[in-house]
Amino acid sequence: MPKWSMVIDLEKCVACQACSIACRFENNTPVVSPELAWEGREMRWNDVFPAPHEESGDYPNTKTHYLTRPCMHCENPPCIKVCPVQATFIDEEGLVRQNYARCIGCRYCTVACPYGVRYFNWFAPEFESPLEQHLNPDKIEGRGDLEGPAVRPKGVVEKCTYCVHRLRKAHARAEAEGRDFRPDEYMPACVQTCTGKARFFGDMNDPDSTVSRLAESDRAFRLLEEVGTHPKTIYLQEGK
Amino acid sequence: MNFPLDNPFYHFVYQLINTAGIGGLIVIVETILILIAVALSLRGITNGAKVDEPEVYAYPTPALHHHNGQD
Amino acid sequence: MLRISKHDREILLDPLFHAGRKFYLMISVLILIMLWGLIMYVRQFVLGLGTTGMERPAYWGMYMVNFIFFIGISHAGTLISAILRVSNAEWRRPITRIAEAITAFALIVGTLQIIFDLGRPDRILYLFRFGRLQSPLLWDAVSVTAYFLGSLTYLYLPIIPDAALLRDNIPEGAPAWRQRLYKLMALGWRGNRTQWLRLEKMIAVMAVLIIPVAVSVHTVISWILATTVQPGWHSTVFGPYFVVGAIFSGIGALFIAMTAARRSFHLEEYITERQYRNLGYIFITMAAIWFYFTYAEHMTQAAGQLTAEFPVLASKLWGEFSFTFWTMVVIMIMAFIVLVFPLLTPDSWQRSRVFRPRFALANGVVSVLAILALLVPQTQGVTADLLSGLPSPTLRIVAGVFGTVAILSILPWLKSHIIDAMIIASGFVLVGMWLERWNIVVPTMTHPRLMPVGLYTPSLTEWSLFAASTALFIFLFVLFFKLIPAVSVWEVREGRVIDETRDSAQMPLPESSRPPGGLQPAFGDNEPTY
C-alpha cells in the first residue's frame, strides 16, 4: 500500500500561485467576491502566503519568504480525532479526506487544525458565468459519500485531498488496461502545474522514490513539527 | 508514532472509539437506561400510594419519621 | 386530600392562578424578542452561516461563547441545590426549586446554541447515527444528556407532593386543564408514609448522583477546547477552571432569579436575608477560587512566552482584546469588593454622615469622568516620545482618590442592603463570566499559528440570537413559575417543623436515678399529627 507524500522545495518555489489556481480549477473551489474575501471567507485549498515571522534582511533590503501550503495529510491528524461523525477520516493510503455528505458543519476540525487548511462553506457556492461552464465533472460519490471536486453544499467543511479523484482515475485506468497500478501514474494538479518544478509527489513507502530521497535531505523539514501531527507534506528549506 | 496500536487490546479500544455510530449508540443506550431508571423509581413512588396506611402527610413531619426504624 | 395552611396557600398557590397585566406584558415582550431571533435564525438557515461575523480563522464565535456561558449557568442550580441537600444545609429549602429550574432551562438554551452553530442543522441526527466516541463533542453529548435527564428528574421529584397539594387545593374557577395537569404531575400522590420514604430516598440518591455528572459536564466542555493543540487552549487547568467559573456564574444567576421570584411573588418571609448571606459566603469562596485559577492560567502563559501562545496572551493584556480582558478583571474585582468589603465595615460607619449613597454617587461620577477623560484618545501632540503620550497624572490621581472614596462611602449602604448588594455583585459576575468565556474562545481563534491574524465582530444575527436565547431562558422561567410554586411548599413546611422542634427540644439529660417515666420525653407518641 503506497503512502502518498508531497515534497515542496522552497528554494525553487517562485510564489507564482499557479498551484493555487490549478487547485481551484481542479477541485471546483468556489470563488467569492472581494468583499467576502476581505472578511476572510475566501477558500484556497492550496494557499500561498508570506510565512509568518520569516522576514529577513534590514529595511529597505528586506526579503519576504513565501510558503505554499496544501493539506499536510498528517499521519496523526488533529482534525479527524475531533470529528463527531467521522465526516473526515484518514484512508488506508494515508490521505485525509472529507465527506461532504456527512459533515454537520460544526467546524470543530477547522478549529483543531493548526495549519488552517480546512475551509468552511459560509454560503452556498456560486460560480459566475463563464466559470460554471468549466466545472470539473469529476467527483467521488457513493452511498453516503460525496468527496473530491464535487460541488459542495453550503455549511460543510472542505479541504485539499491530494486530488483523490485523480488517484481513483489512475487506479481505474490501470484496471481497465489489465495491469498493476504504478505509483508514478498519479499526481495532484498542483504538482503537475508547478512552474518552478518545486513540487514532488510520490510514494513514501518506496525507498527509491523521489520523495523518499528528498525527505532524507538535510534541508527537509515539516511545518509545526512541535505539535506532533507528523505531516506527510515535507518542505525543503530555502537558502541552505 | 510508537503507540502500540498493533497490540490487539489497544487496537480494539481504538476501533471502539473510532467507529462511527458507537458514540451515538452509547448516547441512546444511556438515555434509555436513565429513562427506565427514572420510570421505575416513579412507579415505585406511585405504587407507594397503594400501601394501606390511613394517615397522610402534606409534608414530612417528625411524626412520619418517628415511626421509622423505631430507633 | 392534603391540606395546606391558609397563609401558605395565599402566598404560594393563589398567585399561580392570577396573571396581572405585568405578566402579559412581560410575556409579550419576550415573545417578540424570540420571534425576532427566529426570523434571524431562519435567515441564517436559508443563507448559510455567512450571515454571522465568523470567518477564517475565527471559525467559532459568539455561539460557542454563549454555549459555554449558558451551560455554565446551569451549574447553579442542580450543583448548588444538590450540595446543600447532601450537606443538610437547612437554609437551602426555599431556593432549591428556583436553582433546579435554572439548570433545566439553561441546559435547553445552551444546547440550542450548538444547533445555531451548526452549518448543517438538518443533519443534527447524524450525531447519533454516526457518533464517534473519540470526539470530545460526543463526550459532551454523553454528559449533557445525563445531566439534562438527571436534572429534569431532580427538578420533578420535589414537585410531586406540591403538585398533589395544588391538585387538592386548586381554587374555584381554575381552568380545567390545570386541574388535569396537576393531577397528572402528582402521579397519584397520596402522601402516605411509604410514598414519603420512597420519595425522600430517591431525592437523596439523585442529589448524590447529580454532583459528579454536573462536574463532568463543564469539564468536558473545557476539554472541547483543551484537547486541541491551539495556542492558549491546550491547558490542563481548563477542566477545574471551567467548573469553578460555571458554579460562580451559576450562583450569580441564582441570586438574580431568586430575587425576581421574591419580588414578584412577595416571598419575603420565605426567602430571607439568611439565604442571601449564606449563599453569599459560597459566592465569595467561588470568587476567590476563580481569581486563583485565572491568575494561574495567565501566569503560566506569561512566564512561558511560547511563540504561538504569547501573542494570544499579549492580545488580551494590551492588544485588541485588552478592553474585554481588563473590563472582566475590573468588574470581577468590583464584585469581590461588593461581596467582601461590607463584611469588614465597622457598624459605626452606618451612623456617619459622610458615608451616604448620595456622597458615594457624587464621588463615583467624578471618578468615572476622570477615567473617561483618560480613555479618550489624545488628539493633539502626536509625538514619538512615549512618555508625553501618557495622560495627565492628575487625572489618574483624581480617578483613584475619588473612586476609593466612592467605594468606601457606599459600604455602609451595601452592608445594610444585602439583597441589593448581592444583585449588584451578581450582575457584575454574570457580565464578567460572559467576558471570560469570550476571552478564552475568541483570542485563540483570531491568533492561529499559520493564518493571518483575524478580527471577529459578532454580526446582528449573533446578537439577535443571543438576545432571543436570553429571552427564551426568562420565558421558560416565568412560565414555569406560573404553573409551579417558586418555593417548594412541602420542603419549607418541613423545615419550619424542624425549626419548631429544635426550639422546643430539650437537651438530653444524663441518665436519671429516678424510675423511667418521671421525665417528659422530647418527642412523644402522642405528638399531634400535622
Side-chain angles (χ1 to χ4, degrees):
Chain A
M1 194 61 71
K3 185 168 110 180
W4 302 109
S5 175
M6 188 187 290
V7 175
I8 301 173
D9 190 345
L10 293 177
E11 185 72 48
K12 286 184 176 177
C13 173
V14 295
C16 65
Q17 308 181 38
C19 48
S20 199
I21 300 297
C23 176
R24 179 175 296 284
F25 282 93
E26 181 73 22
N27 289 297
N28 298 336
T29 324
V31 277
V32 299
S33 66
E35 297 81 45
L36 282 178
W38 186 245
E39 284 172 23
R41 267 80 183 270
E42 83 283 16
M43 296 190 193
R44 285 190 280 262
W45 288 10
N46 196 322
D47 202 1
V48 180
F49 56 93
H53 325 294
E54 287 279 331
E55 285 195 0
S56 63
D58 295 321
Y59 178 82
N61 299 314
T62 55
K63 190 178 172 196
T64 305
H65 297 252
Y66 281 86
L67 209 54
T68 88
R69 190 232 52 211
C71 174
M72 298 295 128
H73 289 274
C74 312
E75 285 183 65
N76 183 22
C79 52
I80 70 158
K81 289 192 238 174
V82 299
C83 180
V85 295
Q86 212 170 41
T88 181
F89 56 99
I90 185 163
D91 69 10
E92 55 280 8
E93 298 186 35
L95 302 181
V96 178
R97 285 157 54 180
Q98 178 77 22
N99 181 354
Y100 316 129
R102 194 185 281 185
C103 177
I104 60 171
C106 68
R107 304 188 301 296
Y108 198 175
C109 54
T110 57
V111 167
C113 175
Y115 304 99
V117 307
R118 297 179 151 268
Y119 293 84
F120 181 72
N121 284 279
W122 300 102
F123 295 106
E126 283 172 28
F127 299 94
E128 274 175 45
S129 177
L131 276 177
E132 90 270 4
Q133 296 154 24
H134 298 278
L135 291 181
N136 184 353
D138 291 344
K139 60 175 97 166
I140 297 182
E141 232 177 336
R143 285 198 312 163
D145 297 341
L146 186 65
E147 293 181 60
V151 173
R152 274 73 68 182
K154 76 165 191 290
V156 301
V157 171
E158 56 183 64
K159 68 179 283 293
C160 156
T161 60
Y162 272 175
C163 291
V164 63
H165 57 288
R166 288 183 163 220
L167 174 63
R168 284 286 177 89
K169 275 205 229 162
H171 272 295
R173 193 180 306 123
E175 202 177 319
E177 292 172 9
R179 54 180 173 81
D180 283 343
F181 166 76
R182 289 194 323 273
D184 61 351
E185 286 179 79
Y186 154 51
M187 122 184 342
C190 55
V191 179
Q192 192 181 15
T193 206
C194 182
T195 322
K197 301 236 181 303
R199 291 194 175 208
F200 306 90
F201 192 79
D203 177 11
M204 202 55 129
N205 279 345
D206 174 7
D208 290 330
S209 67
T210 325
V211 286
S212 296
R213 298 208 167 178
L214 286 173
E216 283 164 18
S217 146
D218 55 356
R219 290 165 61 215
F221 74 98
R222 291 157 171 84
L223 279 185
L224 305 183
E225 283 175 68
E226 71 272 17
V227 295
T229 52
H230 300 267
K232 288 200 293 286
T233 300
I234 297 162
Y235 288 85
L236 298 182
Q237 212 178 341
E238 189 179 354
K240 188 174 170 185
Chain B
M1 290 294 278
N2 46 11
F3 188 76
L5 255 190
D6 35 353
N7 178 318
F9 174 72
Y10 290 120
H11 188 74
F12 169 72
V13 172
Y14 181 71
Q15 287 304 317
L16 212 60
I17 61 171
N18 191 37
T19 306
I22 289 188
L25 205 68
I26 285 194
V27 176
I28 292 165
V29 168
E30 178 202 14
T31 311
I32 292 171
L33 285 182
I34 294 176
L35 287 181
I36 289 176
V38 169
L40 285 180
S41 319
L42 290 181
R43 206 183 63 165
I45 291 175
T46 315
N47 285 346
K50 292 181 189 140
V51 179
D52 185 30
E53 285 159 333
E55 70 273 29
V56 292
Y57 307 88
Y59 44 90
T61 62
L64 184 147
H65 286 286
H66 185 68
H67 296 290
N68 178 22
Q70 312 293 329
D71 46 6
Chain C
M1 182 74 186
L2 301 169
R3 270 166 297 133
I4 179 171
S5 73
K6 187 163 171 288
H7 187 66
D8 280 349
R9 183 199 167 112
E10 273 171 7
I11 293 187
L12 297 176
L13 301 196
D14 285 350
L16 304 182
F17 299 93
H18 305 290
R21 197 190 300 155
K22 261 189 196 165
F23 172 77
Y24 287 114
L25 188 71
M26 187 165 183
I27 289 289
S28 347
V29 170
L30 290 174
I31 287 180
L32 278 182
I33 299 175
M34 285 192 289
L35 271 182
W36 172 249
L38 187 70
I39 293 170
M40 292 310 268
Y41 181 68
V42 169
R43 181 166 167 270
Q44 176 193 307
F45 184 81
V46 172
L47 291 179
L49 272 173
T51 54
T52 66
M54 291 185 276
E55 34 87 42
R56 179 178 187 267
Y59 281 109
W60 279 348
M62 203 169 176
Y63 294 148
M64 201 64 191
V65 174
N66 289 342
F67 167 66
I68 302 175
F69 178 71
F70 277 112
I71 303 271
I73 281 191
S74 80
H75 280 58
T78 298
L79 199 56
I80 291 296
S81 104
I83 288 174
L84 296 181
R85 241 190 251 272
V86 169
S87 59
N88 251 333
E90 280 298 318
W91 55 272
R92 73 172 193 273
R93 293 177 181 279
I95 57 173
T96 46
R97 177 155 307 151
I98 296 174
E100 289 150 15
I102 291 180
T103 301
F105 301 142
L107 273 176
I108 295 172
V109 175
T111 315
L112 257 186
Q113 307 299 319
I114 286 287
I115 297 172
F116 293 162
D117 199 41
L118 285 187
R120 297 298 302 241
D122 49 317
R123 294 180 182 169
I124 179 81
L125 287 180
Y126 282 12
L127 266 181
F128 302 104
R129 209 170 133 201
F130 301 114
R132 247 180 97 256
L133 264 190
Q134 196 184 12
S135 167
L137 274 185
L138 247 290
W139 311 345
D140 202 41
V142 171
S143 71
V144 168
T145 308
Y147 191 44
F148 183 60
L149 295 175
S151 52
L152 271 191
T153 316
Y154 189 60
L155 170 67
Y156 176 57
L157 284 176
I159 287 180
I160 298 175
D162 281 2
L165 270 180
L166 276 161
R167 177 196 62 196
D168 294 349
N169 295 283
I170 199 155
E172 296 288 318
W177 64 270
R178 293 189 78 161
Q179 180 75 48
R180 277 200 299 277
L181 177 79
Y182 295 129
K183 198 172 170 201
L184 189 75
M185 290 185 82
L187 286 179
W189 178 264
R190 204 160 65 88
N192 57 349
R193 203 172 132 258
T194 316
Q195 276 199 307
W196 273 113
L197 295 185
R198 287 183 185 169
L199 180 80
E200 287 183 342
K201 193 171 181 182
M202 198 176 161
I203 291 179
V205 169
M206 280 307 297
V208 174
L209 284 184
I210 207 85
I211 294 174
V213 177
V215 171
S216 85
V217 168
H218 230 249
T219 308
V220 166
I221 286 177
S222 81
W223 285 346
I224 289 181
L225 309 180
T227 49
T228 66
V229 293
Q230 299 303 353
W233 284 356
H234 196 61
S235 160
T236 51
V237 85
F238 261 33
Y241 184 27
F242 273 48
V243 174
V244 164
I247 302 174
F248 192 28
S249 60
I251 299 177
L254 177 54
F255 268 127
I256 290 179
M258 71 197 234
T259 312
R262 186 175 189 262
R263 296 251 159 98
S264 47
F265 292 112
H266 306 291
L267 303 174
E268 281 81 4
E269 62 178 289
Y270 296 87
I271 303 175
T272 60
E273 287 196 0
R274 184 172 170 221
Q275 274 74 35
Y276 284 88
R277 211 172 297 280
N278 288 346
L279 202 54
Y281 290 137
I282 304 181
F283 209 26
I284 294 172
T285 317
M286 296 324 287
I289 304 177
W290 182 85
F291 275 113
Y292 165 69
F293 272 116
T294 307
Y295 181 72
E297 166 68 16
H298 293 94
M299 195 277 293
T300 44
Q301 285 180 12
Q305 302 211 354
L306 298 179
T307 42
E309 276 190 351
F310 193 67
V312 178
L313 181 68
S315 75
K316 295 191 215 176
L317 293 184
W318 55 77
E320 65 269 32
F321 292 99
S322 57
F323 180 72
T324 48
F325 182 78
W326 290 109
T327 309
M328 169 191 88
V329 171
V330 167
I331 64 178
M332 286 303 202
I333 290 175
M334 294 300 285
F336 194 74
I337 289 174
V338 170
L339 286 173
V340 175
F341 279 27
L343 299 175
L344 309 172
T345 312
D347 284 336
S348 56
W349 285 22
Q350 289 181 352
R351 292 189 295 275
S352 154
R353 278 171 183 279
V354 181
F355 299 128
R356 297 287 160 161
R358 213 175 293 163
F359 182 65
L361 190 70
N363 278 292
V365 167
V366 174
S367 173
V368 167
L369 283 179
I371 292 172
L372 283 181
L374 281 170
L375 288 179
V376 166
Q378 306 286 308
T379 47
Q380 49 193 357
V382 179
T383 164
D385 186 356
L386 193 70
L387 277 179
S388 65
L390 278 180
S392 126
T394 327
L395 274 180
R396 292 181 176 224
I397 292 169
V398 166
V401 169
F402 278 86
T404 314
V405 173
I407 288 169
L408 286 179
S409 46
I410 197 74
L411 289 179
W413 184 84
L414 289 176
K415 187 174 176 148
S416 57
H417 294 73
I418 181 166
I419 296 171
D420 298 277
M422 289 302 161
I423 288 299
I424 294 170
S426 303
F428 280 146
V429 167
L430 282 183
V431 177
M433 282 310 298
W434 192 88
L435 287 175
E436 192 238 71
R437 308 319 194 181
W438 173 274
N439 290 331
I440 285 175
V441 173
V442 182
T444 293
M445 287 272 70
T446 54
H447 289 83
R449 282 192 176 82
L450 280 178
M451 287 180 262
V453 170
L455 265 180
Y456 169 66
T457 326
S459 73
L460 181 65
T461 311
E462 284 156 296
W463 284 111
S464 309
L465 285 179
F466 184 23
S469 305
T470 316
L472 174 65
F473 180 66
I474 301 172
F475 179 76
L476 290 171
F477 202 81
V478 170
L479 223 56
F480 182 75
F481 286 121
K482 213 62 202 167
L483 293 176
I484 305 291
V487 165
S488 182
V489 182
W490 67 271
E491 281 186 278
V492 167
R493 198 71 184 83
E494 183 190 15
R496 225 178 274 157
V497 174
I498 289 175
D499 285 348
E500 281 164 16
T501 324
R502 189 170 290 158
D503 291 344
S504 63
Q506 297 157 13
M507 289 284 285
L509 296 173
E511 209 171 309
S512 164
S513 58
R514 277 182 291 171
L519 281 174
Q520 199 66 22
F523 305 103
D525 282 342
N526 46 2
E527 177 98 351
T529 43
Y530 293 87

